[in-house]
C-alpha cells in the first residue's frame, strides 16, 4: 500500500458557522496537500485570531465593490456601502492589512489590493460580468467565480513561454467549462515572506503544460510546491475564497 501523508483538515471559524478554508471544496488528494501546505504557511488560526465582525464586514464590502467595478474602492466608498464610520472603516482596513488580507499603499493608505484582487498588472485577468480584474495569482483567479457564485473567464499566459491560457467556468464558478490549451495547468509553489502578494502569489502561476512548469522550476532556487491540474487548482481556489461571502 502506498504511503499517503495524512493532513489534518485544519480550519478557523471566520463568522458563525463559516470555516476558512472550506475543505468541502477539495476532493483530490493533491489539492488537499497543496491546501494543507498553504494553511500551514499562512497559519490561518493565528492570522484570523480575534477577527472582528467589523473587519469581516469591511473585507466583504471591499471585495464586493471591487468585483462590481474592477477597481479597488476607497475607504470612503467602503464606509458608505457598509454603513460604518470612516474612522471605524480605516481602523478595520489597517487590521486587515496586518493580517495580510488587504494590501494598502504604504504612503497614502489607499487600498491596492484585497485577495484575490490587486491593482497590479499580474497578467491574470478575470472577467466577471462587465468588470475585468487582476487576480493576485492563478489560484486566486480560479477561486473568484465560486466566491461570487458567478461564472467568469480567466485570461493569463504560460509563465515559461508566454503562450495564452484561457479558462472559463460553469455552474456559477463551481467547475471548469473550458481550458485552453487542454494541457494547461498550475504550479502551486509554496513560499512565504512577509506578504503573500510579493511571495506566495509570485510562485502560483499558469503553465501551458507540465513540461513548461518543470522547465521554469529548473531555474529557481526554491522549487517547493505542487503541480496541479486546472481542476485541482480550482478546488484550492474555491476552498480559500468561497468562505468570503458564505453565510451559515
Ligand atoms: Zn509554455
Amino acid at each position: 500500500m502506498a504511503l499517503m501523508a495524512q493532513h489534518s483538515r485544519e480550519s478557523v471559524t471566520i463568522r458563525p458557522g463559516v470555516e476558512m478554508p472550506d475543505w468541502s471544496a477539495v476532493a483530490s488528494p493533491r489539492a488537499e496537500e497543496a491546501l494543507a501546505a498553504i494553511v500551514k504557511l499562512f497559519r490561518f488560526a493565528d492570522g484570523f485570531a480575534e477577527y472582528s465582525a467589523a473587519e469581516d464586514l469591511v473585507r466583504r464590502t471591499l471585495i464586493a465593490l471591487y468585483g462590481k467595478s474592477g477597481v479597488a474602492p476607497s475607504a470612503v466608498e467602503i464606509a458608505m456601502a457598509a454603513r460604518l464610520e470612516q474612522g471605524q472603516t480605516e481602523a478595520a482596513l489597517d487590521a486587515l492589512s496586518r493580517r495580510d488580507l488587504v494590501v494598502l499603499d504604504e504612503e497614502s493608505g489607499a487600498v491596492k489590493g484585497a485577495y484575490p484582487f490587486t491593482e497590479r498588472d499580474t497578467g491574470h485577468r478575470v472577467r466577471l460580468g462587465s468588470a475585468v480584474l487582476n487576480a493576485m495569482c492563478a489560484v486566486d483567479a480560479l477561486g473568484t467565480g465560486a466566491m461570487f457564485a458567478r461564472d467568469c473567464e480567466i485570461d493569463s499566459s504560460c509563465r515559461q513561454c508566454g503562450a495564452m491560457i484561457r479558462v472559463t467556468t460553469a455552474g456559477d464558478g463551481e467547475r471548469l467549462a473550458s481550458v485552453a490549451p487542454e494541457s494547461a495547468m498550475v504550479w502551486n509553489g509554496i513560499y512565504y515572506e512577509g506578504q503573500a502578494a510579493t511571495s506566495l502569489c509570485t510562485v502560483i502561476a499558469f503553465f501551458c503544460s507540465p513540461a513548461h512548469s518543470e522547465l521554469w522550476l529548473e531555474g529557481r532556487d526554491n522549487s517547493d510546491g505542487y503541480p496541479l491540474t486546472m481542476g485541482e487548482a480550482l478546488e484550492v481556489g474555491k476552498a480559500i475564497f468561497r468562505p468570503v461571502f458564505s453565510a451559515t
Side-chain angles (χ1 to χ4, degrees):
M1 197 176 84
L3 262 183
M4 259 191 53
Q6 288 295 314
H7 300 285
S8 58
R9 293 191 154 202
E10 228 181 281
S11 66
V12 55
T13 306
I14 60 166
R15 74 185 68 93
V18 177
E19 294 291 308
M20 160 74 182
D22 177 356
W23 284 100
S24 73
V26 169
S28 66
R30 207 138 49 146
E32 178 165 359
E33 271 189 77
L35 183 59
I38 292 171
V39 170
K40 204 170 137 201
L41 203 66
F42 265 104
R43 300 198 301 180
F44 284 159
D46 298 339
F48 281 96
E50 292 172 58
Y51 181 62
S52 72
E55 285 176 72
D56 190 42
L57 175 61
V58 165
R59 180 179 182 227
R60 280 184 288 132
T61 307
L62 194 178
I63 295 173
L65 291 170
Y66 216 148
K68 243 181 239 167
S69 68
V71 179
S74 67
V76 175
E77 289 168 320
I78 298 166
M80 279 178 60
R83 295 167 188 269
L84 288 173
E85 310 237 327
Q86 176 83 6
Q88 211 180 355
T89 304
E90 280 166 3
L93 285 171
D94 280 339
L96 290 166
S97 144
R98 286 193 296 274
R99 295 183 192 280
D100 195 18
L101 292 171
V102 166
V103 179
L104 302 178
D105 186 90
E106 275 176 31
E107 281 168 25
S108 67
V111 177
K112 286 201 308 186
Y115 303 89
F117 306 132
T118 174
E119 292 299 279
R120 223 155 36 84
D121 181 5
T122 57
H124 308 299
R125 293 278 155 83
V126 183
R127 179 177 294 278
L128 194 75
S130 59
V132 180
L133 298 122
N134 288 300
M136 289 273 195
C137 70
V139 162
D140 289 22
L142 289 163
T144 297
M147 179 176 76
F148 286 114
R150 288 182 69 175
D151 284 321
C152 64
E153 293 166 22
I154 300 162
D155 283 303
S156 189
S157 57
C158 173
R159 185 60 65 85
Q160 172 65 18
C161 74
M164 272 182 56
I165 293 171
R166 169 165 263 235
V167 178
T168 61
T169 69
D172 293 334
E174 289 292 320
R175 58 181 198 274
L176 298 172
S178 66
V179 177
E182 258 177 61
S183 56
M185 48 79 73
V186 168
W187 171 255
N188 190 155
I190 295 292
Y191 154 61
Y192 187 80
E193 206 177 289
Q195 186 185 71
T198 52
S199 56
L200 180 66
C201 296
T202 66
V203 293
I204 302 184
F206 291 104
F207 290 89
C208 68
S209 66
H212 270 189
S213 81
E214 282 159 28
L215 255 180
W216 181 76
L217 279 172
E218 274 177 19
R220 299 187 61 87
D221 298 337
N222 179 353
S223 58
D224 291 345
Y226 303 87
L228 302 177
T229 64
M230 204 62 79
E232 289 165 345
L234 179 80
E235 289 182 5
V236 176
K238 288 193 316 189
I240 295 173
F241 292 103
R242 217 161 50 183
V244 171
F245 295 115
S246 287
T248 51

